[in-house]
Amino acid sequence: MSAEWKPTACMICSMNCGIEVQTEGTRITRVRPDQNHPVTKGYVCEKAQRMDAYQQGRDRLSSPMRRRADGTYETVDWATAIREVAARLAAVRNEYGGESIFYYGGGGQGNHLPGVYAQATLSALGVRYRSNALAQEKTGEAWVQARMFGCGMHHDFEHAEVALLIGKNPWQSNGFPRARLVLREIAADPDRSMIVIDPRKSETAAMADYHLAIRPGTDAWCLGALAAILVQEQLYNSAWMAEHVANAEPVLDVLQRIPVREFAQVCDVGEDLLRAAARRMARARTMASMEDLGMQMGVHSTLGSYLHRLLIGLTGSFGRSGTSYAFVPFRPLGSGGGAGAGARAKSHGDRNWRRSPVTGFPVIMGLIPCNAITEEILTDHPHRFRAMIVESSNPVHSLADSNRMREAMRALDFSVVIDVAMTETASEADYVLPACSQFEKAEASFFNFEPKDNAFQLRHPLFPPRDGTWEEGEIHSRLCEALGAIDAADVTALKSAAGNLDAFAMAFAQATSAKPELMSVEPVLLYRALGDVLPAGMGNAAALWGIAQLFVRNFPEEAAAAGYSGPLAGNRLFEAILASPSGIVFSHMEAGGWHLLRQPGNRINLHIPDLLEQLLSLDPAGPPVDPEFPLILSAGERRTETSNTSIRDATWLRKGSLESTLRISPVDAERLGIADGDMVDIVTSRDRARTVVELHEGCRPGHVSLPNGQGLDVRQADGSIKRLGVALNNLTDYRWRDPIVGTPWHKYVPARLERVA
Ligand SMILES: Nc1nc2c(c(=O)[nH]1)N[C@H]1C(S)=C(S)[C@@H](COP(=O)(O)OP(=O)(O)OC[C@H]3O[C@@H](n4cnc5c(=O)[nH]c(N)nc54)[C@H](O)[C@@H]3O)O[C@H]1N2
Ligand SMILES: Nc1nc2c(c(=O)[nH]1)N[C@H]1C(S)=C(S)[C@@H](COP(=O)(O)OP(=O)(O)OC[C@H]3O[C@@H](n4cnc5c(=O)[nH]c(N)nc54)[C@H](O)[C@@H]3O)O[C@H]1N2
Ligand code: SF4
Ligand SMILES: [Mo]
């Protein structure tokens, strides 16, 4: 046993709290918070204790797998796998063009380096279309954000007088640093207030000063009413708006006309409570606000994102401490890279690259909507996707309509999955390439959203790679080599300069100016050229060299304010990253980020005419109801026992409980004659599933809730497969989605319950 505490990070949610661990053999034996992490500063929640459950995952892979005709898998050696995968992908590319190959994934909650290396493979193949989980939650928000601000936004709850949480339960799901501490501080301070919009009395809602327990799916009415009250009671911050927003007039005009009382009735919240909440917002010196899945996976979610931002604009809650702010990203998320030069690809001439090829949905953040993927495959449309590369993601389980996603994967000419485990998605692929775990390589996430001092942590490996597994840098380098996309001579030339990073920077600049196409495979070129000079086991960090160079070029002032200036600032930053296993501050900024807005005059644009139109035409009867399925299932609640699907062992489930439960209001339970602990079938128009009932005082009558990430098909020691809990997306339909951006309505799934004898 090693008594040494080694810094790393928790990979369960986007906070990636710094932790320190002790190890024994290939096990993580002890976990404690890392006081030296620049953002989380010694904070963790209980879930950090689960790191070993991920590391020891029961169905972790240790060899490439090839699917046989009968659907079973055989192991193949790496050389064969790389050769065959590259040849099959190249064949699809040669026949139909790189745009017929679709890439899904690139990273989960704690591992974003796979997506960086994949850029090279995608460029080599001329891949143009991609997606990932952001396109089933954040694309509506991003679409609105781009039209209003033109930059990313985050929220400073720590210093806010009022916290507004819309369909967000940070007590369980986090979403900002040290969430539980911050929530407790706000709740305990009589001068600060928390406003929570959630049908359910979540742990967070239970701490709120104003809990707007809306009828599910009515966020648009609730937010519309709040905005209307600010205008109709003349509570908006007109002085601030005169300085910072544009195009307010038509918006004020529409909000003046919104019938607050009727809207309050639709969302089933007392008008007085709505008015009190709006007045509290208006009174606050600072308000930070955040929306998440409760709204983003509901009906009218894109409209909701707009109305949320109108509240920010009307109250002046942007660009200072304690409000929302624009941040300086180390590397933008969902930048939609991988479009590459596409030089080798055969291309159809009649394309609109900003729309998905079959359904014509807009491509937002470079992503096509998750809920459209099966339609982009299961069709005879000439531009359909013919092949798919999936990496660090489990779309068969995590996207709506799992059975249809399975069918789509089997309909492809070719598919390959890069993962650490034999997941539900891997079990449908033609080839599976085993990656080593996040604790067996250098790894990082690009969830870096802090207001003043933004930080990045490169985690060092705790263990050598498990036999038979490779890191993604190696996998993509080999694929690119097999595709003939990197020239050994280019690598050799760069490698000879790699001994000294400053000389390397010169050599790299010269090589890429002489041969610009090298940039399309930059990550693997760096992996090959720098891999050997990096500390042992740190090869996967090589691509960060390029990201560091780009960062200091794009944000010289913020980098300089953090101590990285001068002609070789990128190298100094890269060295600091390598030398600081608990993380470093890479940027500093004082002003709230107004200069980052990409809107005329650095003003927030309030006016999105089509969404105002949608607000005016909201159905006075509220969201759709189906008498055959009278309950609304919130399909995917974050609880202490959930962690998406990266931890596949069910050992973290609550003690004494065989599986995670269906939460239901005692009122509904009584009406249906169901008791706590009973088994029921939950039925939707798509499928049915059996589950255990938990009576939950926090549930609204008519609203039931199941946890996310459960119902995995986990391979047991004897080879059998055991499913624990409900695989939610067997119950969901890909057609239940936002009409504008295609995000799913997972929080608004019409369902009914049937008692099991
Ligand atoms: N423990 C744990 N934490 C996680 C994760 C995990 O798997 N487990 N996953 C991470 C990921 S990927 C994400 S995206 C985040 C998500 O984080 P959250 O969005 O906070 O998580 P959810 O529990 O899905 O949804 C939040 C709330 O929405 C409410 N809700 C349901 N229907 C409606 C509605 O119609 N309107 C409104 N306003 N609210 C509604 C639910 O009652 C719930 O309390 O969590 C991250 N954190
Ligand atoms: N019905 C319903 N569906 C939902 C949700 C919901 O609330 N309701 N939530 C949605 C949300 S918000 C999200 S974010 C998605 C999440 O769903 P996905 O995007 O599919 O992500 P994860 O479940 O986190 O899967 C991560 C995968 O990465 C693999 N992995 C772990 N480490 C490594 C590594 O180092 N290398 C490689 N190559 N692979 C690795 C894991 O084994 C796992 O298969 O689910 C969505 N699906
Ligand atoms: S689950 Fe999230 S908040 Fe909890 S320790 Fe892990 S990264 Fe931190
Ligand atoms: Mo997510």
Side-chain angles (χ1 to χ4, degrees):
M1 170 159 154
S2 155
E4 186 197 347
W5 288 98
K6 301 169 195 166
T8 180
C10 172
M11 32 66 78
I12 286 188
C13 84
S14 63
M15 294 332 301
N16 302 122
C17 295
I19 55 176
E20 292 184 299
V21 301
Q22 288 184 343
T23 58
E24 193 177 332
T26 60
R27 298 198 78 106
I28 296 170
T29 46
R30 294 180 70 192
V31 176
R32 71 178 187 192
D34 182 357
Q35 308 294 338
N36 295 319
H37 189 279
V39 173
T40 56
K41 298 178 182 147
Y43 174 87
V44 290
C45 76
E46 76 285 358
K47 296 183 279 289
Q49 295 299 332
R50 284 176 210 154
M51 294 304 96
D52 198 53
Y54 161 76
Q55 176 62 17
Q56 310 303 332
R58 207 168 270 158
D59 43 13
R60 274 195 60 190
L61 293 154
S62 53
S63 164
M65 309 290 274
R66 180 172 62 195
R67 192 178 168 102
R68 298 193 190 93
D70 67 1
T72 61
Y73 286 83
E74 60 194 346
T75 59
V76 287
D77 62 76
W78 269 104
T80 307
I82 293 288
R83 190 178 62 244
E84 292 180 1
V85 167
R88 296 281 299 272
L89 287 168
V92 174
R93 187 242 350 243
N94 295 343
E95 176 90 19
Y96 304 108
E99 56 271 38
S100 69
I101 303 174
F102 176 60
Y103 177 76
Y104 190 87
Q109 297 285 299
N111 59 320
H112 294 167
L113 292 181
V116 172
Y117 286 105
Q119 304 270 82
T121 303
L122 303 190
S123 290
L125 289 164
V127 172
R128 301 296 297 257
Y129 294 107
R130 58 197 272 153
S131 197
N132 62 39
L134 291 169
Q136 43 87 74
E137 46 176 327
K138 301 284 173 266
T139 36
E141 180 175 28
W143 189 74
V144 170
Q145 183 68 17
R147 291 168 81 181
M148 295 179 76
F149 294 79
C151 63
M153 178 169 86
H154 220 66
H155 338 277
D156 180 10
F157 289 103
E158 189 179 349
H159 304 101
E161 179 182 328
V162 166
L164 169 64
L165 296 157
I166 309 163
K168 172 80 200 161
N169 180 16
W171 186 267
Q172 289 299 1
S173 66
N174 309 294
F176 52 88
R178 308 160 72 239
R180 289 179 183 174
L181 293 181
V182 172
L183 291 175
R184 276 210 199 98
E185 277 167 18
I186 298 174
D189 187 339
D191 296 329
R192 300 170 78 188
S193 298
M194 202 189 300
I195 304 172
V196 174
I197 304 178
D198 193 319
R200 200 170 59 87
K201 193 170 189 176
S202 66
E203 293 84 345
T204 307
M207 302 171 83
D209 303 277
Y210 303 82
H211 175 203
L212 311 182
I214 58 171
R215 180 178 149 200
T218 62
D219 292 81
W221 285 267
C222 179
L223 295 166
L226 290 169
I229 294 165
L230 292 176
V231 172
Q232 293 169 19
E233 295 191 9
Q234 300 202 338
L235 298 169
Y236 56 96
N237 191 339
S238 46
W240 188 90
M241 287 171 67
E243 202 181 332
H244 291 300
V245 309
N247 308 320
E249 281 316 312
V251 178
L252 297 177
D253 195 52
V254 165
L255 292 173
Q256 195 69 49
R257 283 154 39 208
I258 292 298
V260 171
R261 175 157 310 157
E262 285 159 37
F263 272 39
Q265 275 162 4
V266 171
C267 52
D268 194 22
V269 173
E271 187 185 337
D272 290 348
L273 180 58
L274 277 175
R275 289 192 185 275
R279 289 171 194 151
R280 182 66 188 93
M281 283 182 208
R283 255 198 335 271
R285 279 171 300 102
T286 55
M287 176 176 85
S289 55
M290 182 173 185
E291 58 179 77
D292 213 341
L293 304 185
M295 186 185 83
Q296 294 183 337
M297 290 184 169
V299 284
H300 307 299
S301 53
T302 304
L303 173 59
S305 294
Y306 176 52
L307 295 170
H308 169 201
R309 279 158 185 73
L310 288 186
L311 293 177
I312 291 175
L314 291 167
T315 54
S317 304
F318 185 86
R320 65 215 132 82
S321 174
T323 68
S324 298
Y325 55 85
F327 57 88
V328 175
F330 187 47
R331 177 181 189 263
L333 281 179
S335 51
R344 295 179 191 79
K346 187 167 99 181
S347 191
H348 301 277
D350 55 343
R351 291 238 183 190
N352 174 357
W353 296 109
R354 303 183 62 80
R355 301 230 155 232
S356 67
V358 176
T359 55
F361 267 108
V363 173
I364 300 168
M365 304 170 86
L367 310 173
I368 74 159
C370 293
N371 276 52
I373 291 170
T374 59
E375 284 163 284
E376 303 284 336
I377 297 171
L378 294 171
T379 164
D380 55 10
H381 193 290
H383 293 174
R384 69 183 179 272
F385 297 144
R386 319 264 178 163
M388 191 163 166
I389 305 170
V390 179
E391 184 166 44
S392 306
S393 198
N394 189 3
V396 163
H397 190 273
S398 63
L399 299 192
D401 230 323
S402 292
N403 285 328
R404 198 172 140 96
M405 191 64 216
R406 283 195 178 89
E407 188 190 334
M409 285 206 55
R410 300 305 323 138
L412 292 165
D413 292 358
F414 180 71
S415 58
V416 56
V417 168
I418 304 171
D419 204 297
V420 298
M422 196 67 190
T423 65
E424 293 65 26
T425 307
S427 304
E428 303 299 330
D430 293 323
Y431 286 77
V432 187
L433 302 180
C436 49
S437 86
Q438 295 179 41
F439 299 117
E440 297 165 350
K441 64 194 171 206
E443 197 39 288
S445 98
F446 298 111
F447 292 135
N448 320 115
F449 308 128
E450 297 316 301
K452 275 190 181 169
D453 293 313
N454 207 353
F456 176 79
Q457 182 186 13
L458 171 67
R459 287 126 58 190
H460 293 217
L462 304 173
F463 311 105
R466 192 179 268 213
D467 277 349
T469 65
W470 286 357
E471 58 195 16
E472 285 81 0
E474 185 68 32
I475 295 174
H476 288 290
S477 295
R478 298 278 183 133
L479 285 171
C480 285
E481 284 155 1
L483 288 163
I486 39 176
D487 191 334
D490 293 327
V491 173
T492 311
L494 286 172
K495 233 176 152 164
S496 63
N500 174 307
L501 276 187
D502 293 354
F504 181 77
M506 297 274 276
F508 193 82
Q510 275 162 9
T512 50
S513 73
K515 209 172 159 187
E517 64 271 27
L518 287 180
M519 282 311 286
S520 70
V521 289
E522 186 203 47
V524 298
L525 208 53
L526 292 173
Y527 185 80
R528 285 293 185 240
L530 285 178
D532 292 347
V533 300
L534 294 175
M538 293 296 285
N540 224 31
L544 292 173
W545 182 84
I547 294 170
Q549 309 300 321
L550 201 62
F551 174 75
V552 298
R553 201 150 60 235
N554 289 343
F555 298 104
E557 284 167 23
E558 291 81 1
Y564 305 101
S565 59
L568 291 159
N571 277 352
R572 301 295 84 79
L573 176 56
F574 181 62
E575 285 162 350
I577 287 171
L578 285 172
S580 318
S582 292
I584 58 147
V585 171
F586 64 86
S587 78
H588 177 83
M589 181 177 83
E590 282 295 339
W594 284 100
H595 63 296
L596 300 169
L597 264 67
R598 269 171 285 135
Q599 285 291 345
N602 282 358
R603 282 167 173 263
I604 302 167
N605 167 45
L606 282 201
H607 190 209
I608 305 186
D610 34 326
L611 290 177
L612 275 187
E613 198 48 51
Q614 215 187 91
L615 175 66
L616 284 171
S617 52
L618 281 175
D619 187 342
V625 283
D626 182 343
E628 210 190 321
F629 299 102
L631 297 173
I632 297 302
L633 165 67
S634 179
E637 184 190 331
R638 270 63 187 167
R639 299 183 187 168
T640 184
E641 68 269 25
T642 72
S643 50
N644 287 354
T645 72
S646 45
I647 297 183
R648 300 180 57 81
D649 261 316
T651 43
W652 70 94
L653 281 178
R654 293 176 312 165
K655 278 204 180 70
S657 163
L658 281 180
E659 63 173 67
S660 214
T661 52
L662 175 95
R663 291 182 168 165
I664 178 173
S665 148
V667 176
D668 285 329
E670 192 180 341
R671 188 171 50 80
L672 295 166
I674 299 169
D676 197 68
D678 279 1
M679 293 293 270
V680 293
D681 281 345
I682 178 141
V683 188
T684 68
S685 64
R686 233 25 214 114
D687 204 353
R688 61 171 57 228
R690 190 151 295 186
T691 178
V692 181
V693 163
E694 175 191 344
L695 266 50
H696 184 65
E697 293 289 345
C699 277
R700 258 183 80 103
H703 196 211
V704 296
S705 177
L706 276 167
N708 72 304
Q710 314 272 301
L712 297 170
D713 294 329
V714 182
R715 227 157 283 259
Q716 306 297 304
D718 63 2
S720 66
I721 288 183
K722 191 167 166 190
R723 180 181 293 184
L724 210 56
V726 176
L728 288 177
N729 289 314
N730 289 341
L731 298 171
T732 56
D733 188 316
Y734 72 97
R735 291 166 295 194
W736 301 333
R737 63 189 176 202
D738 184 78
I740 304 175
V741 301
T743 43
W745 292 347
H746 287 329
K747 300 294 188 208
Y748 198 83
V749 177
R752 67 165 181 266
L753 294 183
E754 292 176 5
R755 291 169 57 190
V756 177

